Amino acid sequence: MAYQAKTFPLSNLEGISDQTLEMHFKLYEGYVKETNNLTEKLAGFLADGKVDQEEMPAYSELNRRLGFEYNGMVLHEHYFGNMTRSGGGDADSRSAFYAAAARSYGSYDIWKVDFVGVGKMRGVGWAICFQDPSSGRISNHWVSLHEVGNVAGFHPVLVVDVWEHAFLLDYKPSERGKYIDAFFANIDWTAVDRRMAPDVGRRG
Ligand SMILES: [Fe+2]
């Protein structure tokens, strides 16, 4: 069954233009399409119940691209899904996320310093705050491209795209910090809290 591109009711955000969003939605749809294309092509190889030796090079190349396309699809859904026009600012001090940040980093403020710091790292990729579902602990990670650095089994709870396409229509390449400030002005903390494990308050 093919994946369908989701739609996100995002416009009039602070510091991230509608033009950027429209362009970005199209890029995201490309990842959905390419994920489906790869899956279909791989199914073609498997149709006769085996992978022949002469098929291996092409079969391998398609498989190597799966992580890029799948994560490109899923991470964009997380990114768009953790923004809203009426969001923004910092996490509510009574929220599950705030409590987890305090437990994992000593304070929410230190968590934020780290998350913003990761987002400003040189390179093309993502800053992602994951939650370890087994301990409830959260940790920030740099992900290169879409697939290098994700932690297996951890849940992405806050995701920011720091590829240049995410902000180049609105900011200079050197102004990634301004873009990350704008991102914070639009965070949907309710959506972030929904991603947290429900019993996080008792663990970690
Ligand atoms: Fe992107």
Side-chain angles (χ1 to χ4, degrees):
M1 196 172 66
Y3 287 99
Q4 302 290 325
K6 298 181 190 327
T7 54
F8 299 89
L10 292 178
S11 60
N12 293 318
L13 296 183
E14 269 189 56
I16 299 173
S17 65
D18 288 356
Q19 196 187 1
T20 291
L21 288 169
E22 289 305 318
M23 178 274 301
H24 214 162
F25 292 147
K26 287 273 175 279
L27 272 178
Y28 154 67
E29 286 163 17
Y31 285 107
V32 177
K33 189 165 166 239
E34 208 46 38
T35 297
N36 288 333
N37 281 345
L38 282 179
T39 305
E40 199 180 313
K41 282 180 189 159
L42 285 166
F45 280 98
L46 301 171
D48 61 358
K50 59 190 186 330
V51 180
D52 297 323
Q53 196 55 38
E54 66 271 19
E55 290 175 330
M56 273 309 279
Y59 173 79
S60 302
E61 179 54 26
L62 293 177
N63 269 302
R64 287 199 178 95
R65 286 170 48 203
L66 270 184
F68 180 80
E69 303 294 352
Y70 259 89
N71 282 294
M73 172 174 72
V74 169
L75 290 180
H76 279 106
E77 290 171 356
H78 278 78
Y79 168 64
F80 296 134
N82 59 212
M83 290 195 290
T84 179
R85 190 192 317 185
S86 54
D90 287 307
D92 191 313
S93 60
R94 295 159 297 178
S95 66
F97 182 86
Y98 192 98
R103 273 200 306 280
S104 305
Y105 282 83
S107 73
Y108 170 84
D109 291 342
I110 295 295
W111 165 81
K112 185 174 177 180
V113 166
D114 186 61
F115 186 80
V116 171
V118 171
K120 287 179 178 171
M121 283 169 57
R122 289 171 65 77
V124 174
W126 302 77
I128 303 179
C129 179
F130 287 97
Q131 185 179 37
D132 173 0
S134 70
S135 70
R137 198 174 171 279
I138 61 169
S139 50
N140 299 322
H141 297 259
W142 170 262
V143 168
S144 291
L145 299 174
H146 304 308
E147 74 276 38
V148 184
N150 288 289
V151 186
F154 280 26
H155 298 156
V157 291
L158 181 66
V159 174
V160 61
D161 188 340
V162 292
W163 284 58
E164 286 182 350
H165 66 241
F167 62 90
L168 211 53
L169 296 178
D170 303 323
Y171 303 97
K172 297 192 183 87
S174 60
E175 293 179 329
R176 202 195 281 186
K178 285 189 186 172
Y179 159 68
I180 293 172
D181 287 346
F183 171 72
F184 265 84
N186 299 295
I187 292 177
D188 185 347
W189 287 109
T190 306
V192 173
D193 254 29
R194 275 200 301 269
R195 294 172 181 170
M196 300 288 286
D199 55 351
V200 67
R202 291 185 272 111
R203 297 186 296 179

